[in-house]
Amino acid sequence: MSSCRTVREALPLFVGGDLDPDRAAAVGSHLRDCPGCRREAVALQQPLRRLRRLPVPVAGDAFFAELQGAILDRVEAAAGSPASRWAGALGGRRTWMALAGLLAATAGLWALRPAAAPSVLQRAPITIPVDHRQPPLVVPHAGPRVELQPLGAEPDGPDPGGSVAPGMMGRWRLRTLVDEEGPRPDLPPR
Amino acid sequence: MTRLPLERAAVSAPGDVCPDLPAGLPAAIAELAAAPHISDAELVRRTLAGQQDPFAALVARYQKRAFWIAFHVVGRVEDARDVTQEAFVRLFRSLARYDLRRAFYTWFYRIVMNLAIDQLRKRRSSRTAPLDDVLPGLPDEREAAGSAPLERIEEHQLVWRVLERLDARFRAVLVLRDIHGLSCREIAPILRLTHATARWRLHRGRQMFRDQWERLAHDGGAPTEGR
């Protein structure tokens, strides 16, 4: 025998005939013996019965004939609009399959492309033949004067203050401060 | 507001190939729409092949059911008519996506329900329409005197007021199950729910309908049914 609690849980579906036959039979059997649950069932059934009797508007043939015409007019207008033409063109399964195939082919070509050249920073320095007879390269500078000399061209032996400056044009030794010119003498002192 | 007389008309079962068709259709369209051996899927296939009459036959088969469903969700003739028209336009635009192996009415009803629920929510959020304006057009008392008892009309108005207070999710399930007679297994795919969720919403919706009914009946004096 079902308890009142489980029966009341099932009542909203029972009154609409939405329980499976076994469950409905158990609930029906309980309701025969339980006035409290029966009252609850009636309270649910009454408004439901009214809802199910709710009328639909009885529109005459003219109403639906006019509706049919209005629908077809709107569909015809939509079929002629650019958006619809695009939708029609893009809506076909064949179109989508063709697009998918094109995408797959593009992805395959991308995967098979030749390996890109390494970055400039990863390349070995380019060796540039250096003519040691040339005078040192003087870098114009607003501050202290510096000289750059090609590596291996240190006439006075290694300069402890020098530093090696690698670059794209070869390896150069930076000779630090040669002298300090200071402000030009024709400029007035500050 | 458009006023239409109300009557409990027979609602065709979903999927019926030959529902009551509107009068005045061209003979070719009426013949297609009424042919029991031509399925909805076949009409869709012919439409996609470029023919026009099969789509007109689909409209003839489904316009009344679409209108009634929309009407019971939105509760107003003008809105239901707009929803029905828009539903067929969307149907036409998305015909190429229809899976011919599936039930056509499930797919089409989903379009109708989505539009109707959107319309209902839009109207509720705008809060511009007074309640009386969203109730369906009812015949005036002179019409009612000859056709339906006044208390029956009051009862219908009360049902509409209760429906109006329900959340759109529950109202949609009640409309499809209790007014249009669809089963929960049919309702679930239309509303994109699981079967269990559809049953739960039906269960909860009926409880809420009863609660609101008793509240309004207590306030306004609903007619009671003889036991």
Side-chain angles (χ1 to χ4, degrees), chain A residues 8-10 12-13 15-19 40 42-44 46-59 61 63-68 70-72 74-75 78-79 81 83-84 87 91-93, chain B residues 4-9 22-23 25 55-56 59-60 63-64 67-68 71-72 81 85-86 88-89 92-93 96 98 155-156 159-160 163 177-179 199 202-203 206-207 209-210 213-214 223-225 227:
Chain A
R8 289 188 187 200
E9 277 290 308
L13 295 180
V15 296
D18 294 295
L19 285 183
E40 182 71 12
V42 170
L44 272 162
Q46 269 202 357
L48 182 64
R49 203 173 280 168
R50 263 83 175 241
L51 174 65
R52 289 185 166 186
R53 283 206 303 246
L54 190 65
V56 294
V58 178
D61 286 340
F63 177 85
F64 283 110
E66 184 265 330
L67 183 58
Q68 170 104 7
I71 290 167
L72 293 178
R74 280 196 60 183
V75 168
S81 70
S84 175
R93 249 177 228 150
Chain B
L4 297 169
L6 297 177
E7 185 179 293
R8 185 66 189 149
L25 290 172
F55 188 78
V59 175
Q63 63 154 313
K64 285 188 179 180
F67 174 77
W68 285 330
F71 173 76
H72 283 124
R81 190 162 45 197
Q85 290 183 22
E86 182 61 26
F88 278 105
V89 171
F92 179 78
R93 284 183 172 154
Y98 169 56
E155 181 184 299
H156 295 157
V159 171
W160 279 107
L163 279 176
R177 174 72 191 105
D178 289 324
I179 300 179
R199 278 176 72 84
L202 180 65
H203 181 278
R206 282 179 182 159
Q207 283 178 329
F209 190 86
R210 193 272 306 267
W213 177 273
E214 288 181 349
T224 52
E225 196 170 290
R227 298 181 190 176

Side-chain angles (χ1 to χ4, degrees), chain B residues 91-195:
Chain B
L91 169 72
F92 179 78
R93 284 183 172 154
S94 55
L95 269 187
R97 292 200 297 272
Y98 169 56
D99 182 351
L100 295 170
R101 294 163 300 180
R102 301 201 166 205
F104 173 81
Y105 77 88
T106 304
W107 188 60
F108 179 54
Y109 282 10
R110 185 186 299 163
I111 297 174
V112 176
M113 286 303 286
N114 285 343
L115 286 168
I117 290 171
D118 283 352
Q119 176 74 19
L120 184 65
R121 287 182 174 150
K122 207 185 302 174
R123 198 180 64 208
R124 281 181 176 172
S125 66
S126 70
R127 296 274 177 207
T128 53
L131 185 60
D132 284 344
D133 191 38
V134 302
L135 296 176
L138 292 168
D140 62 29
E141 288 185 22
R142 283 169 302 175
E143 290 168 333
S147 58
L150 193 57
E151 67 179 44
R152 179 62 59 85
I153 292 169
E154 287 171 359
E155 181 184 299
H156 295 157
Q157 285 182 326
L158 187 61
V159 171
W160 279 107
R161 286 200 164 87
V162 174
L163 279 176
E164 186 65 24
R165 291 183 173 207
L166 289 187
D167 183 277
R169 292 172 302 163
F170 300 106
R171 180 169 173 169
V173 176
L174 288 186
V175 164
L176 290 176
R177 174 72 191 105
D178 289 324
I179 300 179
H180 290 269
L182 275 67
S183 70
C184 283
R185 291 218 177 273
E186 290 168 320
I187 293 170
I190 291 172
L191 298 178
R192 288 185 187 273
L193 303 173
T194 63
H195 178 233

Side-chain angles (χ1 to χ4, degrees), chain A residues 1-183:
Chain A
M1 173 128 182
S2 307
S3 71
C4 289
R5 190 179 164 193
T6 55
V7 165
R8 289 188 187 200
E9 277 290 308
L11 281 180
L13 295 180
F14 174 79
V15 296
D18 294 295
L19 285 183
D20 64 74
D22 291 345
R23 188 90 195 278
V27 172
S29 164
H30 178 94
L31 290 180
R32 273 193 292 276
D33 302 327
C34 180
C37 289
R38 204 159 53 235
R39 267 197 303 277
E40 182 71 12
V42 170
L44 272 162
Q45 198 173 32
Q46 269 202 357
L48 182 64
R49 203 173 280 168
R50 263 83 175 241
L51 174 65
R52 289 185 166 186
R53 283 206 303 246
L54 190 65
V56 294
V58 178
D61 286 340
F63 177 85
F64 283 110
E66 184 265 330
L67 183 58
Q68 170 104 7
I71 290 167
L72 293 178
D73 285 349
R74 280 196 60 183
V75 168
E76 198 171 333
S81 70
S84 175
R85 281 199 294 274
W86 274 106
L90 295 175
R93 249 177 228 150
R94 283 183 190 168
T95 310
W96 283 110
M97 285 175 70
L99 281 175
L102 188 63
L103 194 64
T106 308
L109 287 175
W110 177 261
L112 294 175
R113 77 194 190 285
S119 159
V120 169
L121 297 174
Q122 293 167 341
R123 286 184 198 158
I126 302 169
T127 306
I128 299 175
V130 176
D131 184 356
H132 290 169
R133 288 169 299 182
Q134 284 186 349
L137 182 66
V138 176
V139 178
H141 191 268
R145 204 171 141 194
V146 297
E147 287 180 0
L148 285 175
Q149 285 193 326
L151 275 178
E154 300 92 342
D156 305 330
D159 181 353
S163 60
V164 175
M168 290 181 65
M169 300 301 290
R171 297 169 74 82
W172 297 76
R173 177 169 294 279
L174 175 68
R175 289 174 66 83
T176 52
L177 185 65
V178 173
D179 60 2
E180 191 166 4
E181 290 177 330

